[in-house]
Amino acid sequence: MANIAYFQIPADNVDRAKHFYHSLLGWKIEPTKTPMDPAVAPMQYQDIVTGKAEEGTMNMGGLYKRQMSKPIINFVMVDDLDKVLAKVEKLGGKTIVPKNEIKTVGLIAIIQDTEGNAIGLWKPTMK
């Protein structure tokens, strides 16, 4: 069974959102150290740590400058990204961001379900 492993929060004002989530929930939010393509630099990507890593819990996410009117995106960790992507259209969904690699993170893709909801798929490099 695939588990939700990561989330992303779009923000119109990254600094305001950082302050909100840090003040409200105590989350540690810092500029990402993950190497990014220069084309995504305007996103002002931030890494979020929501607490101590514990088995059975999700403790990491991302915050970024909103690029489109997109909701929070949850990422499901999968063992075989290609296998899951091959099923998407057969089941009535579609791939909206094709498989791509983020160095030190892994392979990701974003799909749309039959109801129009976006969900991310993630195959970590460390797994």
Side-chain angles (χ1 to χ4, degrees):
M1 184 179 309
N3 217 347
I4 294 176
Y6 192 79
F7 63 92
Q8 290 183 321
I9 302 172
D12 294 320
N13 182 313
V14 171
D15 290 332
R16 181 177 61 206
K18 282 173 67 169
H19 175 73
F20 175 82
Y21 286 107
H22 175 74
S23 298
L24 181 68
L25 302 171
W27 290 354
K28 181 180 173 186
I29 305 171
E30 297 179 339
T32 190
K33 293 181 178 114
T34 302
M36 292 282 187
D37 184 309
V40 297
M43 290 178 65
Q44 303 172 35
Y45 203 88
Q46 310 285 308
D47 291 326
I48 299 174
V49 175
T50 61
K52 183 178 151 190
E54 296 179 23
E55 188 172 337
T57 65
M58 177 175 56
N59 78 321
M60 61 183 186
L63 175 72
Y64 63 93
K65 177 97 172 130
R66 187 183 315 273
Q67 304 298 303
M68 300 178 275
S69 59
K70 292 179 12 180
I72 291 174
I73 297 178
N74 294 304
F75 281 79
V76 175
M77 189 170 3
V78 297
D79 291 324
D80 187 336
L81 184 57
D82 291 322
K83 185 176 178 180
V84 175
L85 286 173
K87 292 181 183 179
V88 172
E89 290 194 21
K90 291 177 187 174
L91 295 171
K94 59 182 166 181
T95 300
I96 55 178
V97 175
K99 178 176 82 171
N100 63 86
E101 181 179 12
I102 299 176
K103 290 178 174 67
T104 74
V105 173
L107 299 171
I108 66 159
I110 300 176
I111 63 168
Q112 187 175 58
D113 69 11
T114 56
E115 310 310 307
N117 300 304
I119 189 161
L121 303 174
W122 174 39
K123 166 68 174 132
T125 54
M126 63 238 171
K127 191 165 185 198

